[in-house]
Every structure is written in structure tokens, then in C-alpha cells.
Amino acid sequence: MNKVYITKSAKFLPNEAVDNDQMEAKLGKIDNKESKARRIVLRNNGIEQRYYAIDSNGYVTHNNSDLTFESIKGLCDNQFTLRDIEVLSCGTSTPDHLLPSHAAMVHGLMKTKSVELNSASGVCCSGMSALKFGYMSVKSGNSKNAVCTGSERVSSWMKADRFEAEIDNLKELEQTPIIAFKKDFLRWMLSDGAAALLLEDKPRDTTSLEVLWMDAYSYAYELEACMYAGGDKQEDGSIKPWSDYSSSEWLTESVFSLKQDVKILNDNILERGVDSMKRAMEKYDVKTGEIDYFLPHVSSHYFVDNLYTKFVEAGIEITKDKWFMNLKRVGNVGSASIYLMLEELMNSGKLKSGDRIMLSVPESGRFSYAYAYLKVV
């Protein structure tokens, strides 16, 4: 089996950074009223700025495929071009279309040659699933390189006009015209962007990271869905799919909006995260002293202190000085977040030969967790 190295990283964050005071003007006010949840959510998540692929007038500037392609172009130079790509593996929660696949749409922008494609779906772990496909392709000798991406274009899902039909329906029913917290909550959590990694079977002279292992865990067998879109949760915890609703209900019930069951999130996200992290470290015999940088994708700074405490209680304390995060500066970009963290660290000048890096990505879709362990060459 070949060794696999992450040899380059690149990102693309659209337009100018949007601070907390600009968010609602950018996304719009639902029913022309300020959100009661916005300030509470922002205070807890600790995000200070993020990026949206919409302009000051609310018009879309980039779709998801555009964002992804722009990040891939950042990998290219005189030594590596788009024509050199052998495998393209793309992960996202918010593809532009139900089909064709996200990777196929990105490949369509490249205008180069035939490549092997992989599209990973899901929530935040889709980026790690895309990375693992590329890792296994290079490791097995199926290819000499793979470009892996994580990307999200969620802003258009969050615009106020997406909820107008639901508000009008509530008024007709003489109910309070406020969308449910499970929908409003995510409007102040998520944002747009993309990042890409180049995997090769040989290191380069610049900073290269050997991928020592990757692993993943799912708790869907015992927990119901927490974050979902394209349907709505029923009394028994099942999700009624969009295709079982009438076309008029798609609008009046905001069926395609992103939703999150906050209670299930709080009850399970940390416990299962610590359990899976401990299992991975025991499986690969990794001690906490063998982690120089810990890159946890957390959706909110609200979870950080409690996550650290639970690590300590589980006997896997990773001291806070080893945690590397950029949530405050780039926002929660779902499947792209771990890519954006790693891209920043790789280009920070901080890394030295022998440093070891642990990547940790949870997703609350139905509680999945993915890990990668890297070593600086």
C-alpha cells in the first residue's frame, strides 16, 4: 500500500466578510421583523464574521459548484494543473441539484479531461468522506493523486423569502407568524465557502502531511435524526420525505429548509463524540501526548468547554493550547470547516517536521463522527 500525503491546500471564501450586525440585512427579515433568536444564538456560537455567496442586493454571486471550483483552482501552479487531476472527490451538505452529482457539476466546470468522480453526501462528515475516498484511492495505488473538497452554499436556503409562504399560512390559520426555532436557529449558524486538498503518493518540498489513518463512526442505529432537510420529523421521530408532501406543502411547510432538533443535539453530540474519539485513539494506539495540534470542528463555541471537560473525564485530555480553530473568523461552513482549518494551519508557518495533527468532525444529521491523524513530513 502506498503512503498518502496532503501536499497542498486552498480555500475560497466569497465576497466580503459579513459581521454579526450585517447578517439580518443580508439574509432578510422574516415577516419584516427582527429575529428574537439571533442575538442569543450569536452570543453562544461565538462567530464574529462569516461569508455569503450573495451580494448586497441579495443576488446570488456563486453557486456551490462555483465555490468548489474556485478552491480547486487555488491548488494549481506550474507543477500541478487541472489536467493533472486523476480523482475528484467532493463532499457537501448543500449541492446545487438533486442530480447530477455535485462532483459531476464541478467537473463540468473544469473543461479538461475524464477523471474518476466521487460525491459524498450527508452533513459535516461528507467532507471527511470525500477525503477518505481520495485517501483510499491513492493508498491502494488506484491513482497517484486525488483532489478532495468540502463546500457549502447555504445562504440562499436561509434568505427570508424562503419562509414567506409559511408565514402567510400561519396567519391564515390565525397562529403566531413566527417560524420554529429549529429553523430560525440555523439561519445564524451556517455560512458559505469551500476548500480543497491535494493528495499525492509522494511528499513535496513545501509542507506535506502524511495521512497515517482515517476512521469514522455512526450512532444512527440508536439515535433519531437531529439535523435534516427535505422533510419534516413526525411524532415517532421518523422523517416524512419531501416526495410524500404535496407541492403546495413544500412552500407552506418550508419542507426544504434546514432544521435542527436542539434538544437531541445537546443531549447527544458531546457524549457520542467523546466515545468515538476514545475508540479511535485506542484502536490506533494514539496517546494524547502524541497530538501536537487538535482540530475539532465544532458548530459553536458553546460546546468547547464542555467538550474539553468530557475529554478529561474520559481520560483523553488534550490541553487547550493544542486546539486550533478558526470558527470566529470564517464561520461554520459545515463540510468545508475542517478543510478551512487545515488549510489555515498548513499555511500558517507554525508546523514543523514530526508534528502530529488530529482532525475531529462530528455531524448531527444522525450523529456520525470522522477522524484523521496526520504527521508533518
Side-chain angles (χ1 to χ4, degrees):
M1 303 287 276
N2 295 328
K3 289 187 175 183
V4 183
Y5 303 91
I6 300 173
T7 57
K8 293 194 72 175
S9 59
K11 67 183 175 187
F12 183 76
L13 297 169
N15 304 315
E16 298 294 323
V18 177
D19 66 30
N20 291 351
D21 293 332
Q22 298 172 310
M23 290 183 75
E24 199 154 29
K26 202 84 168 174
L27 297 177
K29 296 178 181 179
I30 296 174
D31 197 28
N32 204 32
K33 297 175 182 175
E34 290 189 4
S35 167
K36 293 182 178 180
R38 183 177 70 90
R39 293 189 183 280
I40 297 171
V41 174
L42 290 171
R43 184 171 66 244
N44 284 327
N45 68 27
I47 300 171
E48 296 176 356
Q49 64 176 35
R50 75 285 295 147
Y51 295 81
Y52 292 135
I54 49 179
D55 65 19
S56 57
N57 296 313
Y59 296 116
V60 170
T61 59
H62 306 78
N63 63 27
N64 194 329
S65 301
D66 295 330
L67 297 173
T68 308
F69 183 46
E70 291 298 323
S71 71
I72 292 170
K73 289 194 291 186
L75 298 174
C76 298
D77 55 23
N78 293 333
Q79 294 180 305
F80 186 83
T81 70
L82 292 175
R83 293 194 63 84
D84 294 317
I85 298 173
E86 297 182 18
V87 173
L88 177 62
S89 183
C90 302
T92 188
S93 313
T94 54
D96 297 319
H97 315 282
L98 293 177
L99 49 91
S101 75
H102 178 52
M105 298 309 292
V106 175
H107 185 222
L109 298 174
M110 290 169 53
K111 309 295 184 187
T112 51
K113 63 172 188 177
S114 177
V115 300
E116 182 176 359
L117 298 177
N118 174 60
S119 289
S121 64
V123 193
C124 300
C125 283
S126 60
M128 288 289 274
S129 296
L131 181 62
K132 189 165 186 179
F133 185 92
Y135 162 69
M136 292 190 296
S137 179
V138 176
K139 190 168 185 64
S140 67
N142 178 74
S143 61
K144 291 185 177 181
N145 70 62
V147 166
C148 306
T149 69
S151 64
E152 303 295 352
R153 207 290 300 273
V154 72
S155 56
S156 59
W157 294 42
M158 302 299 187
K159 291 172 65 178
D161 60 11
R162 299 297 188 265
F163 301 93
E164 287 177 356
E166 179 178 354
I167 292 298
D168 290 341
N169 185 49
L170 289 171
K171 288 178 178 177
E172 288 180 11
L173 296 172
E174 297 184 347
Q175 296 178 10
T176 304
I178 300 174
I179 64 169
F181 181 73
K182 63 184 178 181
K183 302 173 187 177
D184 198 18
F185 170 74
L186 290 172
R187 295 185 77 218
W188 319 115
M189 293 289 290
L190 305 172
S191 53
D192 303 342
L197 301 173
L198 172 59
L199 276 59
E200 297 183 278
D201 59 0
K202 293 179 178 60
R204 293 185 176 228
D205 294 336
T206 53
T207 300
S208 294
L209 312 177
E210 182 182 354
V211 183
L212 299 178
W213 55 261
M214 295 189 70
D215 212 346
Y217 301 82
S218 168
Y219 295 85
Y221 69 97
E222 61 181 3
L223 296 173
E224 65 186 65
C226 174
M227 184 174 178
Y228 51 99
D232 215 348
K233 190 177 284 191
Q234 308 300 292
E235 289 291 334
D236 63 358
S238 63
I239 296 179
K240 182 179 177 180
W242 63 270
S243 53
D244 290 353
Y245 286 87
S246 67
S247 57
S248 62
E249 287 177 314
W250 295 350
L251 295 175
T252 59
E253 303 299 324
S254 300
V255 170
F256 289 96
S257 66
L258 286 165
K259 311 168 188 74
Q260 188 159 55
D261 190 322
V262 180
K263 184 181 185 306
I264 296 177
L265 178 74
N266 288 338
D267 289 347
N268 295 285
I269 192 70
L270 298 184
E271 285 77 4
R272 298 312 195 279
V274 173
D275 177 71
S276 56
M277 176 85 161
K278 187 171 184 178
R279 288 168 61 184
M281 291 176 68
E282 289 174 348
K283 179 178 178 179
Y284 295 98
D285 193 27
V286 176
K287 307 294 189 294
T288 56
E290 296 171 323
I291 299 173
D292 299 291
Y293 289 93
F294 178 50
L295 277 58
H297 167 49
V298 293
S299 60
S300 169
H301 279 278
Y302 169 80
F303 292 116
V304 171
D305 288 339
N306 286 336
L307 179 60
Y308 173 76
T309 298
K310 290 186 179 297
F311 279 150
V312 173
E313 293 171 351
I316 52 172
E317 179 184 8
I318 303 171
T319 56
K320 286 283 191 70
D321 60 300
K322 296 181 177 182
W323 292 41
F324 184 90
M325 302 169 61
N326 58 7
L327 180 66
K328 288 184 178 182
R329 298 186 296 279
V330 302
N332 179 0
V333 199
S335 65
S337 286
I338 196 66
Y339 286 73
L340 290 165
M341 275 188 277
L342 189 58
E343 185 277 336
E344 185 172 323
L345 181 60
M346 285 184 70
N347 293 301
S348 68
K350 295 180 178 181
L351 295 176
K352 61 183 185 299
S353 180
D355 281 348
R356 301 198 178 214
I357 305 164
M358 178 72 82
L359 309 183
S360 169
V361 179
E363 73 169 38
S364 61
R366 201 154 175 173
F367 297 98
S368 301
Y369 300 82
Y371 301 93
Y373 191 51
L374 319 173
K375 183 179 72 173
V376 181
V377 178

